[in-house]
Amino acid sequence: MITKERQTRILEMVRNQSFVSVKELMDQLHASRSSIVRDLIELEQQGLLVRERGGASANRVYQEIATEKKAHIHVKEKQCICAQAAKTIKENQCIYIDSGTTTSYMVEHIADKDILLVTSSTYLIHQLPLTFQGQVFLLGGQYDRRLDTALGSTTLEMVSHFHFDHSFLSANGIDLKTKEIYTANTELATFKKAILKQSTQCDLLADASKFEVKTHCTWAYIDDFDTIFVDNGPKYKPFTICQKGNNYENK
């Protein structure tokens, strides 16, 4: 059983039973203790469950994880997603790239592009290569240290002065049934709505683990996006499945 499938089964068991022991997970999933423990650590880092003595319990409220702690989660998936999304950027466009670790992997694909890059993310700015050919505008405002981004009324005011040819946004969760796009922070929700409003084309970048997350803040719906780039998911527009060596757009 591959890691993703095993982690999905773990989440199903935790949500159905409220608490499951490591031994029970080992028996049911035919996996070693070390594999189960690694899975639980990763799922807790994503805010999907809570590790407890001898097992794990359901996390009823999504907890936003600090950016630096998420940087090494689902790296290959994020790289593939961003490689595909970056192909849609055209020269001389005004581009907005959102905060978060998924979107930060865009920077390695835009180094040679003559664009105006706008972002509120200090984390993303620090990832920019010295060879970047375009211009950079960093949105200011109240700094959120956990998220490595600016937020608040000043940031919103600055957004209103831009018109983005193309924006690339991130999310904490996606609900395929209700088509809701979630974030765990009300200020982020307001900010992301403002970016949507100022964008001619807007795409969402999210690895497949986001389909398992629900939070209390809905800021958009699936149909609000021109494309949703994921590593695995539904095979209908606006979803584009990005896999290494097998990039294709769903028809």
Side-chain angles (χ1 to χ4, degrees), residues 67 71 100-101 103-108 121-130:
T67 298
T101 57
T103 46
S104 70
Y105 287 95
M106 291 283 287
V107 298
E108 61 187 281
S121 171
T122 53
Y123 180 82
L124 185 142
I125 291 294
H126 289 149
Q127 310 305 312
L128 274 176
L130 295 176

Side-chain angles (χ1 to χ4, degrees), residues 1 9 13 17 23-31:
M1 184 181 297
R9 292 280 302 280
M13 291 176 67
Q17 302 171 212
K23 186 179 186 307
E24 184 178 0
L25 290 169
M26 291 169 59
D27 293 342
Q28 291 290 323
L29 303 178
H30 306 291

Side-chain angles (χ1 to χ4, degrees), residues 81-100:
I81 289 167
C82 288
Q84 186 78 344
K87 295 177 182 179
T88 64
I89 296 176
K90 298 178 181 179
E91 294 288 317
N92 301 313
Q93 285 189 325
C94 178
I95 304 296
Y96 178 80
I97 299 182
D98 206 4
S99 59

Side-chain angles (χ1 to χ4, degrees), residues 56 78 96 114 149-150 154 156 209 212 235:
K78 294 172 182 177
Y96 178 80
D114 183 12
T149 191
T154 302
L156 284 173
S209 69
E212 301 160 355
K235 292 179 172 56

